[in-house]
Amino acid sequence: MNWRAVVAIFTYEMKRFFRTLFQSLISPVISTVLYFIVFGAAIGSRITQIDGVSYGAFIVPGLIMLSILTQSISNASFGIYFPKFSGTIYEYLSAPVSALEMVLGFVGAAAAKSILIGLVILATSAFFVPVVILHPFWMILFLLLTAITFSLFGFIIGLWADGFEKLQIIPLLVITPLTFLGGSFYSIHVLPEFWQNVSLFNPVVYLISGFRWSFYEISDVSLSVSLGMTFVFLCICLTAVAWIFRTGYRLKS
Amino acid sequence: MTSIIQIQNLSKTYNTGFHALKDISLDIKRGEIFALLGPNGAGKTTLISVICGIVNKSSGAVLVDGHDNVTDFRATRKMIGLVPQELHLSFFETVWDTIKFSRKLFGKPDDDAYLEKILQQLSLLDKKHSKIGTLSGGMKRRVLIAKALSHEPTVLFLDEPTAGVDVELRKDMWNVVRGLRDNGVTIILTTHYIEEAEEMADRVGVISKGAMILVEDKTALMKKMGQKKLTLTLEKPLVALPKKLAKFNLQLLNNGSEISYAYDVSKGKPDIAGLLADVQAAKIGYSDIHTAQNSLEDIFMGLVKQ
Ligand SMILES: Nc1ncnc2c1ncn2[C@@H]1O[C@H](COP(=O)(O)OP(=O)(O)O)[C@@H](O)[C@H]1O
Ligand SMILES: [Mg+2]
């Protein structure tokens, strides 16, 4: 293993994040505050409680997941797209760096960034609502798995994209709707049965459900199903990335 | 083993169906400067890209110091430094950060003294902490060279290093290249400027439309360059050359309206005065006289046109 290269890529990607630390963190913090004002105060005053948890506290895990998903994808997709776009990818390809090492560097950095942002949102939330984390270990595990899985997914998008529009389109058309419809702001049990069944096809439901369980022990689906599905998505993304590197798809002509 | 790079029956067809490299076999000798010459689109960059691992080959093999460049890519890539044709750099980084990054990417431990020496040689030391985006084109080219040298490669590829580069940098660069060669680094450079090959190379390879059409020692090529030609434009066409002129190596051209005298400056002084005297004595009138050198360019153009 060329660990020096892994560390170099990871550090390089993180440096970009820290160079713009203020912008990187201020926007998720502001949107979290806005969500609390809009959903927590306006809607929360009518809903008050879901499964015994105040509405404001209920949406915290969903808000964090929402950020983790969008941040992981945008960080990772941009991270690999940019060297492709600027041409500097030549150096990674001509260096003694394996596919695995590249993934560790790029995806590791994207996941680390989104986890940092997730933790900042968690801290921000604690100012507004009483947040409890009943199962910190599971909370961290879900955070890690989700961040890694969606960073891998973002990496794939970044490899596939040959223009800035393509970089935006998947997050916009697929991820945002799936997240909003995935129970970030409600329990899917409040939906009519038909839509509850439709929701079960939404992978994000499992992520949010498991994550919320680690906070409050309330969930839409059982913990083991959540965990199992999260691993399934992780494996799908890993397989796709492995295939991409084996064929050189969109990286090498 | 004297060959550092062995290219065996290498072919490349791009996804577009374009056949960019056609069955190329070539050995690069350890420690030589090899110039790869060819017009735009000949396949020079493609060949380098396949060797360096940026483009997948379609068939054939590339061995670097005996290691296959696909199955044993770590060994081969560690030896190779690449200066790409385009100025592919991240503009927000400083010169120092980018060369330190390059060295790490190649798995080498920090060695700031060595990196500073490279910057010094490339006259980049005062730009050490400048952002790359603020540098001129020539300076950016130097940064690319510094990046390629950062991991102490034993083989250096320079893809059109002097395209759009000022005279000063060209001189600097040749000094660096000579210094590297003196330290045993093998250098492969591509160019479509013949002077560049003439000035630097030990051997020259000519590539055209994806095929290697000639590989030769530069001195052998230069010999051909020693050939010169003197042409007399005659007032009246001749049917045949008079016997008197037989001792000169002459040809009658253009339906007898031109006499052409071929001579080799490397083989001593030509007897031009004697020729002209004999022509006059034979009562052959001429209206014009001119000489031409058979340059590498001519050889090259002749080859590429075929
Ligand atoms: N990625 C690619 N896909 C398809 N064709 C390509 C690609 N890269 C280069 N080519 C074609 O291959 C030929 C050789 O290109 P190149 O190796 O860059 O030539 P050179 O460096 O000698 O100018 C050109 O005709 C070019 O259009
Ligand atoms: Mg080229």
Side-chain angles (χ1 to χ4, degrees):
Chain A
M1 280 292 279
N2 183 353
W3 284 109
R4 281 203 187 90
V6 176
V7 172
I9 297 172
F10 183 89
T11 317
Y12 179 87
E13 291 298 304
M14 291 308 279
K15 246 177 25 196
R16 200 154 43 81
F17 176 73
F18 284 112
R19 216 167 24 221
T20 54
L21 189 64
F22 188 69
Q23 293 99 300
S24 304
L25 291 182
I26 196 72
S27 99
V29 169
I30 288 183
S31 47
T32 308
V33 172
L34 288 176
Y35 278 124
F36 276 117
I37 293 171
V38 174
F39 289 104
I43 302 175
S45 64
R46 290 165 191 241
I47 301 180
T48 63
Q49 282 209 330
I50 295 180
D51 296 338
V53 176
S54 81
Y55 183 69
F58 179 86
I59 64 171
V60 171
L63 278 179
I64 296 174
M65 273 294 168
L66 185 66
S67 279
I68 295 274
L69 258 55
T70 49
Q71 290 291 332
S72 294
I73 290 176
S74 74
N75 287 332
S77 61
F78 190 78
I80 186 65
Y81 177 77
F82 195 72
K84 273 200 330 173
F85 169 76
S86 69
T88 52
I89 191 82
Y90 88 86
E91 199 177 22
Y92 298 90
L93 295 177
S94 62
V97 177
S98 67
L100 177 66
E101 287 150 3
M102 254 174 98
V103 171
L104 282 176
F106 278 105
V107 172
K113 284 182 231 178
S114 64
I115 288 172
L116 275 176
I117 290 173
L119 294 178
V120 167
I121 292 174
L122 181 61
T124 313
S125 308
F127 283 103
F128 291 86
V129 290
V131 178
V132 284
I133 303 169
L134 294 177
H135 302 283
F137 167 78
W138 289 101
M139 194 279 272
I140 298 291
L141 184 71
F142 272 107
L143 205 60
L144 274 175
L145 285 177
T146 311
I148 292 169
T149 304
F150 281 82
S151 295
L152 279 169
F153 186 64
F155 192 73
I156 296 168
I157 293 175
L159 285 175
W160 164 78
D162 50 15
F164 278 101
E165 318 79 57
K166 281 193 180 169
L167 216 52
Q168 314 280 5
I169 203 98
I170 301 274
L172 197 69
L173 288 187
V174 182
I175 300 302
T176 309
L178 284 185
T179 321
F180 275 88
L181 302 176
S184 306
F185 302 110
Y186 56 87
S187 162
I188 61 169
H189 294 315
V190 304
L191 298 174
E193 197 173 325
F194 173 76
W195 289 108
Q196 278 191 42
N197 290 334
V198 170
S199 294
L200 293 179
F201 287 98
N202 179 353
V204 177
V205 165
Y206 301 93
L207 302 172
I208 291 180
S209 170
F211 194 54
R212 188 175 286 131
W213 177 88
S214 70
F215 279 74
Y216 309 122
E217 283 185 348
I218 54 173
S219 59
D220 291 329
V221 294
S222 81
L223 175 66
S224 50
V225 172
S226 280
L227 201 58
M229 292 303 267
T230 309
F231 269 109
V232 168
F233 304 134
L234 180 61
C235 289
I236 292 174
C237 290
L238 278 175
T239 313
V241 169
W243 176 82
I244 284 173
F245 273 99
R246 225 184 29 249
T247 57
Y249 169 80
R250 300 258 175 158
L251 260 182
K252 296 190 191 186
S253 32
Chain B
M1 194 168 51
T2 53
S3 297
I4 181 92
I5 296 179
Q6 292 164 279
I7 300 166
Q8 299 162 346
N9 305 104
L10 188 70
S11 290
K12 171 65 189 177
T13 308
Y14 280 111
N15 291 338
T16 54
F18 186 80
H19 205 171
L21 296 177
K22 297 167 188 160
D23 196 30
I24 288 191
S25 293
L26 172 70
D27 276 20
I28 306 289
K29 293 177 194 159
R30 207 173 286 269
E32 74 173 336
I33 298 182
F34 188 92
L36 194 57
L37 237 69
N40 267 326
K44 303 181 294 294
T45 300
T46 304
L47 180 59
I48 289 185
S49 301
V50 171
I51 300 170
C52 294
I54 296 165
V55 167
N56 288 326
K57 67 187 179 191
S58 301
S59 64
V62 176
L63 303 181
V64 182
D65 206 14
H67 303 279
D68 185 279
N69 82 325
V70 177
T71 57
D72 203 1
F73 71 92
R74 277 190 210 274
T76 66
R77 291 187 198 166
K78 269 199 173 116
M79 287 184 259
I80 295 177
L82 167 65
V83 181
Q85 183 174 349
E86 310 291 337
L87 297 174
H88 294 315
L89 288 161
S90 35
F91 288 6
F92 306 109
E93 255 190 311
T94 66
V95 172
W96 186 244
D97 286 347
T98 200
I99 61 171
K100 284 200 70 139
F101 175 79
S102 296
R103 188 173 167 91
K104 291 202 186 94
L105 207 55
F106 280 74
K108 287 263 183 176
D110 282 340
D111 185 347
D112 291 359
Y114 171 77
L115 293 182
E116 285 192 340
K117 198 181 86 198
I118 291 179
L119 291 185
Q120 173 92 57
Q121 284 172 345
L122 290 162
S123 317
L124 269 176
L125 208 48
D126 57 326
K127 304 284 184 204
K128 187 174 166 185
H129 298 296
S130 302
K131 290 240 166 28
I132 291 166
T134 65
L135 302 178
S136 67
M139 284 292 174
K140 288 187 184 117
R141 181 74 60 188
R142 289 169 203 240
V143 174
L144 283 175
I145 299 173
K147 276 167 80 76
L149 293 177
S150 69
H151 65 278
E152 302 164 58
T154 51
V155 180
L156 181 67
F157 284 93
L158 293 156
D159 198 354
E160 310 215 5
T162 50
V165 146
D166 53 280
V167 182
E168 195 191 340
L169 171 56
R170 212 181 267 220
K171 275 191 196 145
D172 269 13
M173 212 149 65
W174 293 143
N175 285 335
V176 171
V177 166
R178 284 194 188 100
L180 288 167
R181 199 254 307 263
D182 293 345
N183 287 325
V185 176
T186 308
I187 291 142
I188 296 106
L189 62 95
T190 78
T191 180
H192 50 254
Y193 301 121
I194 284 139
E195 315 86 71
E196 206 154 78
E198 277 178 27
E199 187 169 346
M200 295 299 301
D202 300 312
R203 284 199 306 152
V204 175
V206 178
I207 185 169
S208 171
K209 299 190 184 112
M212 272 320 260
I213 52 179
L214 169 118
V215 178
E216 204 160 355
D217 277 349
K218 190 186 61 181
T219 41
L221 274 177
M222 293 303 278
K223 252 199 201 118
K224 290 182 189 164
M225 264 194 63
Q227 299 267 324
K228 291 192 78 171
K229 209 164 65 182
L230 180 146
T231 308
L232 292 176
T233 308
L234 306 180
E235 283 171 344
K236 274 183 254 154
L238 288 179
V239 184
L241 283 165
K243 286 250 162 49
K244 259 188 151 177
L245 300 176
K247 65 172 169 166
F248 299 99
N249 181 18
L250 297 184
Q251 270 183 297
L252 202 54
L253 299 174
N254 278 347
N255 301 322
S257 66
E258 277 179 8
I259 290 177
S260 155
Y261 169 45
Y263 56 96
D264 193 334
V265 280
S266 63
K267 287 183 186 143
K269 221 174 134 220
D271 186 15
I272 293 174
L275 170 70
L276 293 182
D278 285 2
V279 166
Q280 203 141 25
K283 301 220 159 39
I284 301 171
Y286 51 93
S287 59
D288 196 9
I289 174 168
H290 85 273
T291 67
Q293 186 155 29
N294 196 2
S295 70
L296 195 46
E297 181 106 34
D298 295 334
I299 301 170
F300 175 66
M301 289 314 285
L303 283 167
V304 168
K305 266 190 212 129
Q306 283 165 14

